[in-house]
Amino acid sequence: MHRILFRWLLGAVPVVFAVTVLTFVLTSLVPGDPGRTILGANASPAQVRALDAQLGLDHPLPVRYWDWLASALHGDLGDSVTSGVPVSDQLTSRLGVTLSLIGGAVLVAAVAGVALGVLSALKGGLLGRVVDGISLVGLAVPNFWFGLLLMSAFAVRLPVFPVSGYVPLTDSPTQWFESLVLPVLTLGVPATAPVAKQTRDGVLDQLGRDYVRVLRARGVPERSVVLRHVLRNAAAPIVTVLGVVVVTLFGGTVLAETLFVLPGLGGLAVTAAQTQDIPMVQGVALVFTVTVTLINLLIEVVYTMLDPKVRT
Amino acid sequence: MHPLDSTSRPAGPRARRAARTRRGGLVALTAALALTLAACGGGKGTAGAQSTGKEVPGGTLTVAEQQAPPTLDPGSLDLGFVDFTMLSYESLFYLSPAGTVQPALAESWKYVGTGNKELSVTLRPGVRFADGTGVTAEAVKASLEYAKKAQGNQAHYLTDATITATGPLTLTIRLAKADPILPTLLTQSYGIGQIISPKGLADASSLTPTRTSQGAGPYIYQPSDSVAGDHYTYTANPGYYDRSKQHYKKIVIRIVQNGQTAVNAMKTGQIDVYKGDYTSAASAKAAGMSTVGLPVILQGLSLIDRAGEVSEPLGDVRVRQAINYAIDRDAVTRALLGSAGTPTAQTVVKGGDGYSEEYADHYAYNPTKAKQLLKAAGYPDGFELPVLAATFVGFDTMAEAIAGQLTKIGIKVKVTAVTSITSFVENQTNHKYPAVSGGFTEEPMYLEGLDLFMPGSKVFNGFGSGTPELTGLFDKAAAAAPAERAGLDRQMQEYLVKNAWFAPVAFTPVNYYVRPGIGGVEVSAGAPFVSPLAVYATK
């Protein structure tokens, strides 16, 4: 376990560092500047320059990055350039939304994906083709359109869930759940496809192995063969696929957040990038990167638990 | 005056297609392109939603807008975001939906003498800020001086103002240059008129979405019940001086960028009023919502190099007139904007301050005449005209459409479309582009002078062009009494049309979509934007 942690740290630290540098440089290359955002179009270029100077934006890029890094290492992510609000305040208030969204979507993708995959592997034939079909459609259908469809079906025609908005878990667990159902499905259902496909292929592969024949010959019940042995052996690549799915979901949150008006990190990243609010963009990028590397660690750990061979 | 086309008709398929590509852009326009509210003295007619019911006390009003404000400081906030501060910062005056200036913190006011250079204001006695301190002449003076210094995009309306507290509740505002509409500029529709308490001014950098508001408005901003960028909650101020103006116990402004989501949320009652663009008109109408809006966003060409500094031909008035004659406004408007667009040759809307009935059709489409004018000016074979455009709000599409029209008379338009507001603004003022395809929210002539066509206009008159005749008219109108001013404003507009300072094409609306049962959502040429303050619940 120590070795895994060490290896992870060795990889994660440079990645986080590189991402912060890249984000900083790329954001500052985006046309536009915060002074203009704050003052509006009627301000003269001279006024904008003066405000930019007041905000410290006239310093060279490496100096600004160094300042940011030095404070970040002390736990201070700075204040938003445009609103003056501390970046960490915004991040903490929005992290819960994004994590609920991604957590929910992963849960949907994992449970539905594995169930569909196993079913189609066992029943084969028509169901297999249906799963394949659904997978293809899931990959092809734009999330946006799917989200709108869900919204008009389950929020407008059949007003079961709210059209928009987010209720924090601490305010009302029921309303929190209701506000998340449609966005989670919007993200999670299409993500089911790759998981289902991997599960089906993995299970089929395992079912053809000798040990399965031996187990069956010894009279082990089919359910036990599939759930305790086959699925466990097929699990490692499924976990890998799930890990990849989680990472791609981070991009998808922007869309689900915009469509269902959830105050998450995705929307914050977009607005911050548009207004060249570098401290805010840095903060979001940092949170995303750290989360992704943590997920990678989690996958490694699960992998080790599932496959004794990795441990040696 | 008749209510203008409220564009409740669905947009044509082409318009919808064009609109889809510019959804983000309109937001940019409202946020950044000097979304200055029009406030003419002439507009009396209003266009409003069907509010047949009687007013009843309201619980919660939920308004949705497309773009979140960067800060909540009335002094530095862009005009596009005044809704977010007007609820909690009472202004000196109130601009009614009909466009008339009414008392608010100021109980009475008058211009001293003639010439519109000194405004004397008497404050309402006994009014307190939400923190309990009194609204005194000194406090108002401090707030106005802060706004002047804060360099927001309306600060220039106060640059030459000297504010003096003449008594505990009386003050005078003296101006170096005449301003006939100063009271309008100090209504809730402009951030500079929203008064911040001395306590708020002491720590102005804290006027952010995470802190409570520091005003004397009918509502108090509740940071604990708000999430910046998502929703902003305001609750009724128990100490407010006039309970009858608190139509609701609570007002929530939500940020909803997607028009379809907004319409769906209206259907299920999550949103009462949605300030959107015309692209949502069809679906909102299908959902049973009423549409209120005036076409106030001007699109077209601004022929800014009027002295022929970088494009010699533009220095000749005949060439500029030829450009105006060569544009088939009806065809371009129909093609790009469908029924949402209103063709125009003037920079103000029909019925608005300065509008000239006589010049409405001054540049009826006439390519033959355009060619004759070009020939007379010495350009029978046309010339090359560089035009600055931007990739948002369809400015580039408009530029291409105009280019297509001008090719027919031999003018080869070379469009450069930039991608950011910053670069768009810089290039308007760096004497590189003789013409700009852009947008401008129409205003009373006095403000258009300051922001659009007088030499001092910092952005939209990039070459600083001016003529003694126009400046003379402007100064005269600025100092004139209201009755005389209307005629002078019209003469100014006629000057701009005759001398072809612009080649306007069309106006597009800012629309409000309203749920049944909501009253007070009304607009007029004098107040084309709805104040959430005016909205009320009906039975």
Side-chain angles (χ1 to χ4, degrees), chain A:
Chain A
M1 203 51 141
H2 286 292
R3 261 183 42 202
I4 295 179
L5 213 64
F6 181 70
R7 223 173 41 211
W8 172 79
L9 263 179
L10 219 60
V13 171
V15 164
V16 172
F17 180 75
V19 168
T20 61
V21 173
L22 257 180
T23 323
F24 207 94
V25 173
L26 289 178
T27 315
S28 60
L29 289 179
V30 173
D33 59 71
R36 176 63 65 192
T37 310
I38 296 169
L39 294 178
N42 256 9
S44 67
Q47 282 174 310
V48 171
R49 270 194 298 278
L51 182 64
D52 281 346
Q54 195 189 319
L55 296 170
L57 299 174
D58 53 345
H59 297 303
L61 202 61
V63 175
R64 282 159 57 202
Y65 178 74
W66 177 249
D67 288 345
W68 177 83
L69 188 68
S71 332
L73 288 174
H74 289 93
D76 176 13
L77 292 176
D79 296 339
S80 155
V81 171
T82 44
S83 68
V85 173
V87 170
S88 45
D89 284 9
Q90 286 271 341
L91 293 181
T92 38
S93 81
R94 286 168 175 260
L95 185 62
V97 182
T98 302
L99 288 186
S100 313
L101 200 57
I102 290 179
V106 170
L107 201 68
V108 168
V111 172
V114 170
L116 273 174
V118 170
L119 260 177
S120 99
L122 294 181
K123 307 283 171 189
L126 187 64
L127 192 67
R129 279 198 290 279
V130 169
V131 169
D132 270 356
I134 293 177
S135 299
L136 270 178
V137 173
L139 287 175
V141 163
N143 280 19
F144 197 74
W145 180 82
F146 182 60
L148 270 178
L149 203 71
L150 282 178
M151 186 195 284
S152 82
F154 299 108
V156 180
R157 295 257 164 95
L158 250 162
V160 190
F161 303 108
V163 169
S164 65
Y166 175 78
V167 180
L169 179 64
T170 44
D171 286 10
S172 157
T174 336
Q175 287 184 20
W176 169 77
F177 179 77
E178 285 172 352
S179 68
L180 279 170
V181 171
L182 296 182
V184 159
L185 287 179
T186 303
L187 280 183
V189 169
T192 310
V195 180
K197 217 162 151 26
Q198 178 57 49
T199 310
R200 185 173 66 108
D201 295 348
V203 169
L204 275 179
D205 175 52
Q206 294 294 328
L207 283 174
R209 301 278 176 103
D210 289 343
Y211 76 90
V212 173
R213 214 175 308 151
V214 173
L215 286 172
R216 280 177 177 157
R218 291 175 72 186
V220 176
E222 188 64 16
R223 174 193 291 198
S224 175
V225 170
V226 173
L227 295 183
R228 286 187 52 190
H229 301 280
V230 168
L231 200 54
R232 188 183 170 126
N233 283 319
I238 300 178
V239 170
T240 312
V241 169
L242 263 177
V244 174
V245 164
V246 179
V247 174
T248 50
L249 281 177
F250 273 92
T253 53
V254 176
L255 179 137
E257 285 171 15
T258 313
L259 191 58
F260 292 97
V261 201
L262 306 174
L265 289 175
L268 184 66
V270 173
T271 328
Q274 278 168 351
T275 52
Q276 271 224 343
D277 192 346
I278 293 186
M280 197 61 97
V281 177
Q282 287 292 95
V284 179
L286 191 67
V287 170
F288 274 10
T289 320
V290 169
T291 316
V292 168
T293 49
L294 280 174
I295 287 167
N296 283 339
L297 173 67
L298 192 75
I299 290 169
E300 290 245 350
V301 171
V302 174
Y303 225 92
T304 322
M305 278 159 33
L306 284 170
D307 189 354
K309 274 182 282 178
V310 183
R311 258 176 268 170
T312 51

Side-chain angles (χ1 to χ4, degrees), chain A residues 31-33 36-45 47-49 82-86 89-90 93-94 144 148 151-152 155-156 159 161-166 258-263 268 271 274, chain B residues 31-34 36 67 70-71 76-78 150-153 156-157 208-210 227-230 254-258 260-261 264-265 267-268 270 419-422 425-426 429 451 458-460:
Chain A
D33 59 71
R36 176 63 65 192
T37 310
I38 296 169
L39 294 178
N42 256 9
S44 67
Q47 282 174 310
V48 171
R49 270 194 298 278
T82 44
S83 68
V85 173
D89 284 9
Q90 286 271 341
S93 81
R94 286 168 175 260
F144 197 74
L148 270 178
M151 186 195 284
S152 82
V156 180
F161 303 108
V163 169
S164 65
Y166 175 78
T258 313
L259 191 58
F260 292 97
V261 201
L262 306 174
L268 184 66
T271 328
Q274 278 168 351
Chain B
L33 276 174
T36 311
Q67 194 74 338
T71 125
S76 60
L77 204 55
D78 187 272
Q151 293 292 350
N153 69 4
H156 61 296
Y157 300 142
T208 66
T210 50
V227 174
D230 184 71
R254 295 184 58 191
I255 308 302
V256 181
Q257 288 172 358
N258 185 271
Q260 194 53 49
T261 303
N264 280 336
K267 280 193 216 169
T268 59
Q270 282 194 323
T419 53
S420 80
I421 295 267
T422 305
V425 172
E426 302 274 335
T429 47
D451 297 333
K458 279 174 290 192
V459 175
F460 292 94

Side-chain angles (χ1 to χ4, degrees), chain B residues 256-478:
Chain B
V256 181
Q257 288 172 358
N258 185 271
Q260 194 53 49
T261 303
V263 172
N264 280 336
M266 290 186 90
K267 280 193 216 169
T268 59
Q270 282 194 323
I271 294 171
D272 300 308
V273 178
Y274 171 49
K275 180 183 181 186
D277 51 58
Y278 61 86
T279 57
S280 302
S283 58
K285 193 189 174 195
M289 310 299 152
S290 43
T291 305
V292 180
L294 288 186
V296 287
I297 300 171
L298 178 66
Q299 293 202 32
L301 271 193
S302 199
L303 306 170
I304 52 177
D305 185 14
R306 290 146 196 145
E309 191 182 315
V310 294
S311 170
E312 207 188 306
L314 274 200
D316 192 317
V317 65
R318 290 168 295 190
V319 172
R320 299 198 302 266
Q321 288 167 338
I323 291 175
N324 269 284
Y325 279 117
I327 299 172
D328 184 350
R329 294 181 167 78
D330 290 338
V332 173
T333 306
R334 217 171 29 244
L336 294 187
L337 308 164
S339 59
T342 311
T344 180
Q346 304 186 36
T347 65
V348 290
V349 292
K350 190 178 163 108
D353 174 46
Y355 181 77
S356 167
E357 203 65 65
E358 201 186 323
Y359 278 68
D361 270 327
H362 193 72
Y363 291 115
Y365 181 52
N366 191 342
T368 322
K369 192 161 182 185
K371 272 188 201 147
Q372 285 166 0
L373 282 164
L374 273 189
K375 199 173 163 193
Y379 303 96
D381 302 322
F383 59 95
E384 187 177 277
L385 179 66
V387 167
L388 173 71
T391 51
F392 39 81
V393 212
F395 292 164
D396 48 350
T397 328
M398 181 57 86
E400 295 298 347
I402 293 172
Q405 302 277 312
L406 297 186
T407 316
K408 293 179 196 158
I409 59 162
I411 299 177
K412 289 168 282 300
V413 173
K414 213 175 125 233
V415 179
T416 307
V418 297
T419 53
S420 80
I421 295 267
T422 305
S423 141
F424 190 54
V425 172
E426 302 274 335
N427 280 307
Q428 284 188 63
T429 47
N430 62 9
H431 294 233
K432 270 193 191 156
Y433 294 93
V436 183
S437 165
F440 186 83
T441 305
E442 75 102 38
E443 304 175 309
M445 287 306 284
Y446 172 74
L447 292 185
E448 287 204 353
L450 294 190
D451 297 333
L452 182 67
F453 62 79
M454 287 296 284
S457 155
K458 279 174 290 192
V459 175
F460 292 94
N461 189 1
F463 286 78
S465 37
T467 63
E469 191 185 344
L470 187 62
T471 306
L473 274 173
F474 180 84
D475 289 343
K476 208 170 150 195

